[in-house]
């Protein structure tokens, strides 16, 4: 029996050993086959253009930034890039030495960046084969009106549009040598929404340029910043009434442009760095009920913002009036307007963010806005605030709101006058529940009256007994220091006689 058990165990062990060897042989065979297959398969070599530039498959970007290219690749090179299957949603060719733009081959690129080159020539139909192009950046080059002609932007035939680049939405032409535009420049861009002309020294918008911009029916964003503009044509925004964002920063405008009257759907407006001195009287903003964002900052000459300056801007939500070193007067009724149904009742825009920092303001009217407690940001730092009773509401009402919403800025709200309170933080006054006094109608500071009154009281209290003592001493002869003459004695002892004495 024992012998049979041993024989059985040995047989099982042999079977297991044979099975393991068979598996190993199969694995070795499969490894060899896989190695032979991998050796036989052709290796896909990287495309030569991707060795010159950066190809990012994940971001679908072909990036040639700062590669010292002075000439674009020829058609055969571009063709091999297409054949290699490299995805090119975004093509970046900026910061090179390119002076000429020939016609591009067929690509699926949606963004083409040719900025910061020396481009002075662009071929006709240069972007004809870029059927899906949405964003074209030609800023920071050497383009002139003579070079920038409508034929550059011709697209494919379309029965409804004139050779359109139908997907182009954004065109950036900033910082070139443009002083005017061809009136038909945008005729091949039926869906253009954003145009930038910033940092071209136009000085004036002439009639051809006005026509060119006015023909962009779909325009939503327009950047006219730093163009040294003295004025805007009154009806430039009459046709593109869908305009929502307008940047007029860094021009030479001295009054509110009348052209804004036609920008009836504007939501965002910046007029920073314009040399306006006053915004009051007839020179106020026209009725733009949709405007939500307004910036009037870095306006060095600005001194006064008067009554009703923003009264017609009913939709304001965010206002920046900052870094105006001469601005000393912001009228308490700058934002309010009379209710058209009940003229005796006032209305205010529902402003959520108000930035007034780094001006020359000394007073802030509590009626400037209606709901200070509903604000998200109130920034009034770095102003020479007058800490008297007219600004007491700032300590009692405004500071707690600022401390709750934006606590980081409360320590920079400091008293500049009167001298006794100069340098004190308003938040400290709020914590101490301090009461600030006012100057009287003659301009005197009553905070100095206490010491003066005490001095006068002491003088009266000391002066009365002192005067009485002097009179008494004088009448009694000054304690012998002043001697009376003989006549005084004779009069003292002399008494007239009566008839009975005789």
């Amino acid at each position: 029996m024992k012998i049979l058990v041993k024989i059985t165990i040995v047989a099982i062990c042999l079977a297991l050993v044979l099975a393991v060897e068979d598996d190993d042989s199969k694995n070795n065979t499969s490894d060899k086959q896989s190695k032979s297959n991998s050796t036989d398969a052709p290796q896909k070599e990287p495309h030569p253009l991707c060795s010159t530039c950066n190809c990012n498959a994940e971001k679908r970007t072909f990036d040639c930034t700062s590669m010292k290219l002075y000439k674009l690749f020829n058609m055969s090179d571009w063709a091999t890039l297409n054949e290699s299957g490299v995805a090119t949603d975004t093509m970046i060719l900026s910061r090179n030495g390119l002076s000429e733009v020939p016609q591009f081959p067929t690509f699926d690129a949606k963004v083409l960046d040719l900025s910061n080159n020396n481009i002075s020539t662009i071929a006709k139909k240069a972007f004809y084969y870029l059927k899906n192009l949405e964003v074209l950046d030609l800023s920071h080059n050497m383009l002139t009106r003579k070079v920038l002609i409508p034929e550059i932007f011709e697209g494919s035939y379309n029965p409804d549009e004139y050779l359109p680049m139908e997907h182009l939405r954004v065109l950036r032409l900033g910082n070139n040598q443009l002083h005017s535009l061809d009136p038909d420049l945008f005729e091949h861009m039926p869906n253009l929404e954003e145009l930038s002309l910033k940092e071209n020294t136009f000085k004036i918008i002439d009639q051809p340029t006005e026509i060119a911009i006015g023909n962009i029916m779909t325009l939503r964003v327009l950047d006219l910043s730093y163009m040294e503009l003295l004025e805007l044509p009154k009806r430039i925004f009459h046709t593109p009434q869908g305009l929502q964002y307008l940047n007029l920063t860094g021009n030479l405008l001295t009054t509110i442009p009348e052209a804004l009257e036609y920008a009836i759907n504007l939501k965002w407006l910046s007029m920073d760095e314009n040399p306006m001195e006053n915004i009051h009287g007839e020179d106020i903003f026209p009725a733009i009920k949709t405007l939500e964002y307004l910036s009037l900052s870095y306006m060095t000459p600005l001194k006064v913002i008067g009554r009703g300056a923003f009264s017609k801007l009913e939709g304001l939500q965010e206002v920046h009036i900052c870094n105006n070193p001469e601005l000393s007067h912001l009228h308490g009724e700058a934002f309010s307007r009379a209710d058209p149904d009940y003229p005796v009742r006032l209305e205010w825009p529902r402003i959520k963010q108000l930035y007034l920092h780094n001006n020359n303001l000394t007073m802030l009217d509590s009626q400037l806005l209606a709901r200070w407690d509903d604000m998200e940001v109130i920034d009034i730092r770095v102003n020479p605030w007058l800490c008297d009773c007219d600004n007491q509401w700032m300590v009692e009402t405004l500071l707690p709101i600022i401390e709750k919403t934006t606590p980081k800025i409360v320590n920079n709200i400091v008293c500049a006058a009167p001298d006794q309170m100069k340098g004190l933080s308003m938040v400290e006054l709020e914590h101490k529940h301090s009461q600030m006094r006012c100057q009287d109608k003659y301009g005197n500071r009553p905070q100095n009256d206490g010491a003066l009154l005490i001095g006068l009281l002491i003088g009266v209290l000391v002066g009365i007994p002192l005067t009485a003592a002097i009179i008494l001493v004088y009448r009694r002869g000054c304690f012998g220091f002043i001697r009376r003459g003989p006549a005084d004695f004779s009069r003292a002892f002399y008494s007239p006689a009566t008839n009975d004495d005789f």
Side-chain angles (χ1 to χ4, degrees), residues 302-343:
L302 183 62
K303 296 179 176 65
V304 175
I305 296 178
R307 177 187 283 112
F310 315 114
S311 60
K312 298 179 182 179
L313 306 179
E314 301 178 15
L316 279 179
Q317 296 182 15
E318 182 174 344
V319 179
H320 293 251
I321 305 174
C322 318
N323 296 286
N324 302 303
E326 298 295 324
L327 180 60
S328 58
H329 181 68
L330 176 59
H331 199 281
E333 297 178 18
F335 291 96
S336 60
R337 64 188 179 278
D339 187 325
D341 298 325
Y342 302 96

Side-chain angles (χ1 to χ4, degrees), residues 366-416:
S366 61
Q367 300 300 311
L368 183 68
L369 296 176
R371 292 296 305 273
W372 294 99
D373 58 332
D374 200 30
M375 302 280 286
E376 296 173 358
V377 178
I378 307 169
D379 192 346
I380 58 172
R381 295 172 296 167
V382 197
N383 280 283
W385 296 114
L386 174 62
C387 290
D388 67 3
C389 66
D390 290 330
N391 278 336
Q392 182 69 38
W393 79 275
M394 293 176 64
V395 173
E396 295 178 349
T397 304
L398 199 58
L399 264 293
I401 297 172
I402 297 175
E403 202 168 11
K404 180 181 178 181
T405 55
T406 50
K408 293 182 180 180
I409 69 172
V410 293
N411 291 327
N412 289 322
I413 304 171
V414 179
C415 300

Side-chain angles (χ1 to χ4, degrees), residues 200-395:
N200 285 286
T201 310
F202 273 64
K203 294 187 180 294
I204 63 169
I205 301 292
D206 59 14
Q207 188 174 9
T209 304
E210 181 182 357
I211 293 172
I213 294 174
N215 284 338
I216 311 175
M217 303 289 292
T218 53
L219 191 62
R220 298 287 182 272
V221 180
L222 180 60
D223 190 345
L224 301 178
S225 60
Y226 300 101
M227 293 172 59
E228 299 186 16
L229 297 175
L230 297 167
E231 59 182 358
L232 293 178
K234 184 175 180 179
R235 293 175 176 82
I236 189 173
F237 305 131
H238 180 269
T239 303
Q241 293 190 352
L243 186 66
Q244 297 181 357
Y245 298 85
L246 177 60
N247 192 350
L248 295 173
T249 298
N251 285 296
L252 301 175
L253 303 172
T254 57
T255 59
I256 306 299
E258 292 184 44
L260 294 177
E261 181 181 347
Y262 294 95
I264 57 175
N265 290 305
L266 203 61
K267 291 184 177 180
W268 189 99
L269 174 62
S270 174
M271 298 188 65
D272 297 349
E273 299 180 55
N274 278 278
M276 296 184 184
E277 292 187 9
N278 301 299
I279 302 175
H280 64 80
E282 296 182 357
D283 186 24
I284 62 175
F285 283 87
I288 311 175
K289 296 182 179 180
T290 56
L291 193 67
E292 298 176 356
Y293 175 98
L294 175 64
S295 185
L296 298 169
S297 301
Y298 298 96
M299 303 175 78
T300 305
L302 183 62
K303 296 179 176 65
V304 175
I305 296 178
R307 177 187 283 112
F310 315 114
S311 60
K312 298 179 182 179
L313 306 179
E314 301 178 15
L316 279 179
Q317 296 182 15
E318 182 174 344
V319 179
H320 293 251
I321 305 174
C322 318
N323 296 286
N324 302 303
E326 298 295 324
L327 180 60
S328 58
H329 181 68
L330 176 59
H331 199 281
E333 297 178 18
F335 291 96
S336 60
R337 64 188 179 278
D339 187 325
D341 298 325
Y342 302 96
V344 296
R345 186 174 67 182
L346 295 179
E347 293 183 344
W348 288 264
R350 296 182 178 179
I351 294 176
K352 296 292 185 181
Q353 299 182 35
L354 179 62
Y355 298 85
L356 295 174
H357 60 82
N358 293 84
N359 293 305
N360 194 33
L361 297 172
T362 58
M363 306 291 295
L364 189 63
D365 197 303
S366 61
Q367 300 300 311
L368 183 68
L369 296 176
R371 292 296 305 273
W372 294 99
D373 58 332
D374 200 30
M375 302 280 286
E376 296 173 358
V377 178
I378 307 169
D379 192 346
I380 58 172
R381 295 172 296 167
V382 197
N383 280 283
W385 296 114
L386 174 62
C387 290
D388 67 3
C389 66
D390 290 330
N391 278 336
Q392 182 69 38
W393 79 275
M394 293 176 64
V395 173

Side-chain angles (χ1 to χ4, degrees), residues 98-101 117-122 141-144 146-148 176:
L98 301 174
S99 60
E100 183 178 355
V101 178
N117 284 289
N118 297 315
I119 298 171
S120 59
T121 303
I122 303 178
N141 281 292
M142 309 292 289
L143 298 175
T144 63
K146 185 178 180 180
V147 171
L148 206 62
N176 278 281

